[in-house]
């Protein structure tokens, strides 16, 4: 099998991509479901962890751990949704121009454009 070298030069292309989804909840449904489930299920039906007769975690301890982790997951999901809403409101776009990529970044409800060059 013979390989050939190409000496073609790539053309620089200026492209713009939309960074914002149509809905702020688009990528957050599973995080919301797991977070709500991790809070609601232990409140309704507390359960423990045991192997045969050895109790590893009591129902109170495991329920507390699940509720705290679920609340943290819901908090992180809330921050992600808030960032998505800010990007959608201010029209965040990604721009590629001659090896430079400009992308939006949300910092305290302000949209800032960051540049990355190769």
């Amino acid at each position: 099998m013979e390989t050939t070298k190409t000496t073609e030069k790539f053309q620089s292309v200026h492209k713009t991509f939309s960074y914002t989804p149509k809905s702020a909840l688009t990528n957050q449904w599973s995080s919301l479901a797991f977070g709500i489930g991790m809070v609601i299920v232990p409140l309704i039906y507390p359960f423990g962890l045991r192997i045969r007769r050895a109790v590893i975690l009591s129902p109170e301890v495991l329920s507390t751990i699940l509720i705290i982790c679920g609340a943290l997951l819901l908090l992180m999901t809330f921050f992600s949704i808030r960032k998505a809403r800010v990007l959608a409101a201010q029209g965040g776009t990604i721009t590629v121009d001659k090896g430079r990529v400009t992308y939006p970044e949300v910092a305290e409800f302000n949209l800032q454009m960051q540049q990355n060059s190769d």
Side-chain angles (χ1 to χ4, degrees):
M1 183 181 280
E2 192 174 315
T3 59
T4 59
K5 291 185 178 181
T6 58
T7 57
E8 299 174 10
K9 291 186 177 182
F10 292 103
Q11 294 180 348
S12 178
V13 180
H14 180 80
K15 293 184 179 180
T16 303
F17 302 97
S18 177
Y19 188 70
T20 58
K22 293 181 181 179
S23 171
L25 295 174
T26 300
N27 298 324
Q28 305 301 329
W29 289 111
S30 61
S31 295
L32 283 172
F34 281 118
I36 291 170
M38 288 174 71
V39 172
I40 298 298
V41 170
L43 288 174
I44 294 173
Y45 181 72
F47 57 93
L49 179 66
R50 65 183 195 177
I51 299 174
R52 295 190 187 175
R53 294 185 182 177
V55 176
I56 306 300
L57 289 174
S58 68
E60 296 84 14
V61 173
L62 186 61
S63 296
T64 303
I65 292 170
L66 287 174
I67 290 170
I68 290 171
C69 291
L72 288 174
L73 181 61
L74 287 173
L75 185 67
M76 289 187 302
T77 304
F78 169 73
F79 287 136
S80 296
I81 291 171
R82 189 174 71 171
K83 284 183 180 182
R85 285 185 178 166
V86 170
L87 284 172
Q90 297 185 5
T93 57
I94 298 174
T95 305
V96 178
D97 186 25
K98 296 183 182 180
R100 285 189 168 186
V101 179
T102 305
Y103 57 92
E105 187 172 299
V106 177
E108 296 182 22
F109 292 114
N110 294 326
L111 187 68
Q112 299 173 354
M113 300 303 282
Q114 301 288 329
Q115 286 191 355
N116 183 10
S117 60
D118 292 335

